[in-house]
Amino acid sequence: MFLLPLNRADGGPRIVPWLTLAIVAINVVSLAAVSVATDEGPLADELGRLISFLQQHPYLEMSPGMARMLDDEMVEELGAARSDFLGSRPLPTLEVFERERHELADREQNVIARLRELPGQRWGFVPAQPWSATVLTSLFLHGDWMHLLGNLVFLWITAPFLEERLGRWGFAALYLASGVAGSGAHAMRFPDSAIPLVGASGAIAGLMGAFVVYFAATRIRFLVLPTPVVITLPALVVFPLWLVEQMFLSRYGGADSGVAFGAHVGGFLFGIAAGGVARLARPDTGGPRRTVSRGTAAADREAFEEALDDGDAAQIGDAGARLLERLRQAGDAEALAFVDEVRERVVPLHPPRLWLAGASLLERHDPEGALAMYQELVDDDPEAPAALRALMRRGDVLRRRGQTRDARSVLQRALRHPTCTSAFKEAIERSLAALPPAP
């Protein structure tokens, strides 16, 4: 099972994430340019000579890293030939075997040298040579299009919101520093490795760590592959679980495993640390948000957006209801537009105060929309006090629309609600008495 992130359940960022888009563009252009400029002929020739040598000396075994450069069919063919030889023929003398084993190692080094001549590998980060510009250039190179696509999916889930919260300079610093930290962690794990490291996954892992710090309660929609099922999980659950998985894989994966799990771990832990320090240093940081006077629509909007970022349903309800009331004072048009925005973005929290206020506004302009909002609030938590109020309001709307039978059913359900006090019971009975008699 694999979880493919789709989007944040509460909507996208409020700004155009230009720096995130620029990172995407640089990575795409870099891979396209490398693909065009790459001539794999010399590498293929060197690999051919290596395979020919192994076929002539089937008792020799190539390194695991070299085996990953060959297709599975060739690896199986060479393995079968080696098994057949060892089961039927004696090995050469120790002196000959050692000489041929060293020759195999030299041939593998020739293949690696040809690999290093490829543009995409030339600018990759080599742990054995850590002090070079490749620690940065490697962050914008990828092995192939699937490698790039996998990274961009996680970039798009996290980067736009951190760019908005930290500002472009802060976000750029976090991205680059996380990438360097990830490469450093990989180099500490395999200091003598000559295999180039390419990819933005260390930097993106850092963004995931910082995202947990700033948006822990944010719910993210995931597609469960290979099924068509979509689930919603909070960042505080899914990203740390991903970290645990990477730590496990890092523990048992070698330098030639094909994936730098240690870079993922290092980048993620750095992102948590950097995000924590930044939040403590500037607890109210909001990137490009402007400082506005209290008691204005802009201040109410800012409070609402900050509540959304924190993922606190109570704060969202209070801030959203204040903003809705202020917009209503200026006219129903802006207030109705805000209710539409709320129904799209504030899901699946359904904060009661905001939901009741929004549905109340819709009663005159869009009764069907009001009925739907009341029903959503009831479905969200049927036993809550807010559900009783929603049932009462829903019954009144149905009564005014002439849907007597449905109104009676809803109001009778309200009478049976566990939070229905004597005062509520009296009001519901008055509404029931106002209904025309049942046929």
Side-chain angles (χ1 to χ4, degrees):
M1 184 180 71
F2 175 75
L3 298 182
L4 177 67
L6 299 176
N7 55 18
R8 272 179 55 159
D10 56 358
R14 304 188 309 279
I15 65 168
V16 177
W18 292 114
L19 187 53
T20 301
L21 292 172
I23 291 173
V24 172
I26 291 171
N27 279 280
V28 171
V29 170
S30 297
L31 182 54
V34 166
S35 299
V36 171
T38 296
D39 176 12
E40 295 187 353
L43 174 61
D45 292 342
E46 200 65 54
L47 273 173
R49 286 190 283 271
L50 174 66
I51 292 171
S52 178
F53 181 79
L54 285 168
Q55 290 171 335
Q56 295 169 17
H57 307 82
Y59 44 85
L60 297 175
E61 184 177 15
M62 76 180 87
S63 66
M66 193 58 55
R68 288 186 177 88
M69 296 183 62
L70 305 179
D71 61 69
D72 293 341
E73 184 178 346
M74 177 56 67
V75 172
E76 291 177 3
E77 179 183 325
L78 292 172
R82 184 168 185 271
S83 297
D84 289 344
F85 184 95
L86 295 178
S88 59
R89 299 171 61 184
L91 290 173
T93 63
L94 180 60
E95 180 181 355
V96 171
F97 181 83
E98 284 298 313
R99 184 175 67 251
E100 291 174 343
R101 189 173 63 82
H102 283 96
E103 183 176 353
L104 173 61
D106 291 340
R107 289 178 180 273
E108 289 188 352
Q109 287 302 313
N110 291 340
V111 171
I112 292 176
R114 293 293 178 266
L115 178 65
R116 290 284 290 146
E117 291 173 359
L118 299 178
Q121 301 292 320
R122 188 184 310 158
W123 297 104
F125 173 73
V126 178
Q129 302 169 358
W131 306 109
S132 71
T134 59
V135 72
L136 294 178
T137 59
S138 62
L139 304 181
F140 301 94
L141 296 172
H142 290 80
D144 53 40
W145 291 104
M146 287 304 296
H147 182 201
L148 173 61
L149 181 62
N151 276 342
L152 292 186
V153 167
F154 283 90
L155 175 75
W156 192 250
I157 283 293
T158 56
F161 306 97
L162 288 168
E163 181 178 345
E164 178 182 29
R165 174 58 67 93
L166 299 174
R168 294 196 172 96
W169 286 108
F171 170 73
L174 173 65
Y175 183 85
L176 294 175
S178 296
V180 172
S183 297
H186 179 71
M188 291 176 64
R189 181 86 167 84
F190 306 106
D192 300 322
S193 174
I195 300 175
L197 174 68
V198 295
S201 50
I204 295 170
L207 301 185
M208 293 166 66
F211 192 89
V212 170
V213 172
Y214 280 101
F215 308 107
T218 293
R219 300 177 71 84
I220 300 174
R221 298 173 66 244
F222 292 89
L223 175 64
V224 183
L225 296 177
T227 74
V229 176
V230 175
I231 62 175
T232 304
L233 296 170
L236 185 59
V237 171
V238 68
F239 285 172
L241 285 177
W242 178 86
L243 172 64
V244 171
E245 176 193 42
Q246 300 304 301
M247 294 176 72
F248 175 81
L249 294 173
S250 174
R251 174 68 177 82
Y252 295 102
D256 53 4
S257 65
V259 180
F261 298 110
H264 300 171
V265 174
F268 193 99
L269 294 178
F270 177 85
I272 288 180
V277 170
R279 189 158 192 177
L280 288 173
R282 295 186 60 194
D284 296 323
T285 182
R289 297 174 185 166
R290 296 177 298 162
T291 301
V292 295
S293 302
R294 295 180 60 85
T296 66
D300 289 336
R301 165 61 77 168
E302 183 176 22
F304 174 69
E305 297 293 347
E306 289 178 348
L308 275 179
D309 286 342
D310 292 336
D312 188 311
Q315 292 180 13
I316 293 170
D318 291 342
R322 287 197 304 271
L323 177 56
L324 178 60
E325 181 59 30
R326 189 174 297 280
L327 293 173
R328 290 184 72 168
Q329 295 171 7
D332 282 0
E334 289 188 19
L336 288 168
F338 178 62
V339 172
D340 287 340
E341 177 188 346
V342 163
R343 297 192 66 191
E344 180 180 347
R345 297 180 65 192
V346 188
V347 176
L349 297 172
H350 301 108
R353 183 181 173 190
L354 180 54
W355 233 246
L356 289 168
S360 177
L361 175 64
L362 286 178
E363 285 184 14
R364 291 177 317 189
H365 303 274
D366 181 11
E368 291 293 340
L371 290 171
M373 287 193 76
Y374 287 134
Q375 188 60 50
E376 288 172 24
L377 189 52
V378 172
D379 293 341
D380 183 58
D381 190 353
E383 306 299 317
L388 172 60
R389 294 181 176 84
L391 287 169
M392 295 172 63
R393 295 301 309 162
R394 182 174 167 82
D396 284 341
V397 175
L398 291 169
R399 176 180 58 81
R400 292 196 300 268
R401 287 168 60 84
Q403 297 173 248
T404 303
R405 180 178 298 178
D406 291 339
R408 179 174 287 106
S409 174
V410 169
L411 290 172
Q412 289 173 344
R413 180 181 174 187
L415 274 178
R416 298 191 298 271
H417 196 275
T419 65
C420 184
T421 63
S422 57
F424 282 117
K425 182 178 180 181
E426 182 179 343
I428 296 169
E429 287 177 341
R430 284 199 302 268
S431 296
L432 283 168
L435 292 173

